[in-house]
Amino acid sequence: MPGDRVTIVDRRGQVLMDTLVKPTAPVVSYRTSTTGLDANSFGDAISFATAQATAAKLLEGNILVGHELWKDLSVLGVSHPAVDTRDTAVFLPFRAALGTPNAVVGLPTLIWHFMKRKMTMGTDSAEISRASMDLFRSHQKDWEACIKSGQWPCALPPTAYARCFS
């Protein structure tokens, strides 16, 4: 995992974890103009092992909400029970409403379409987490009703990421 950030918020958007992670390999380019990070940004960063353990403990026993969760779980090297995930990228009613039943739609598009809220590139990770949570909460009643009725309301994530879900 190159130097990165791990951010976890609760259902109300309060930050539970937001930390930089020390790079585990040499960094060829920090893309400073895009990320705002450089070699000096990681002075207080935590190790990957610490980030992984902390995130896993925070997620354990909880519903995990996000967008393209398979990417986050893969990078962290943790798995989570599929039944305890709510991934806005694969929620079929969102895809149907946008006429894209087989495509992953970006979070900014979903936020604009369903919440009339703009997200810009470079949005901070806590705001991205909050946006995913807000989008889920705005449809939570229908989402949970589908699950309760025995109908899983989501498409499957890419098969290459099956190991991320237990």
Side-chain angles (χ1 to χ4, degrees):
M1 173 180 188
D4 215 334
R5 177 176 295 278
V6 176
T7 303
I8 299 173
V9 301
D10 67 13
R11 68 175 280 103
R12 290 185 177 79
Q14 297 299 310
V15 174
L16 302 177
M17 179 180 184
D18 185 29
T19 186
L20 287 172
V21 179
K22 290 179 186 170
T24 57
V27 176
V28 175
S29 172
Y30 289 97
R31 298 183 1 227
T32 303
S33 62
T34 302
T35 66
L37 302 173
D38 60 26
N40 298 319
S41 301
F42 295 90
D44 293 329
I46 63 174
S47 71
F48 174 75
T50 300
Q52 185 181 48
T54 303
K57 184 155 180 60
L58 285 169
L59 299 177
E60 187 178 356
N62 288 300
I63 300 291
L64 176 59
V65 175
H67 190 78
E68 296 181 305
L69 288 170
W70 60 88
K71 291 180 179 179
D72 300 318
L73 293 171
S74 178
V75 169
L76 276 171
V78 299
S79 65
H80 198 72
V83 71
D84 289 339
T85 61
R86 306 295 183 268
D87 193 329
T88 58
V90 292
F91 187 53
L92 294 172
F94 291 161
R95 289 177 169 194
L98 293 172
T100 57
N102 298 314
V104 174
V105 178
L107 184 59
T109 300
L110 293 173
I111 291 294
W112 173 250
H113 184 82
F114 293 103
M115 305 190 78
K116 300 301 183 228
R117 194 164 98 196
K118 287 187 177 183
M119 286 182 66
T120 58
M121 293 304 293
T123 300
D124 74 64
S125 57
E127 190 52 36
I128 293 168
S129 298
R130 288 183 191 108
S132 296
M133 182 62 75
D134 291 348
L135 185 59
F136 165 71
R137 288 181 63 199
S138 72
H139 290 78
Q140 183 175 3
K141 187 175 181 180
D142 294 333
W143 199 314
E144 299 302 330
C146 283
I147 293 170
K148 188 173 182 180
S149 74
Q151 301 294 316
W152 189 250
C154 295
L156 294 174
T159 55
Y161 294 92
R163 71 185 183 288
C164 299
F165 303 96
S166 51

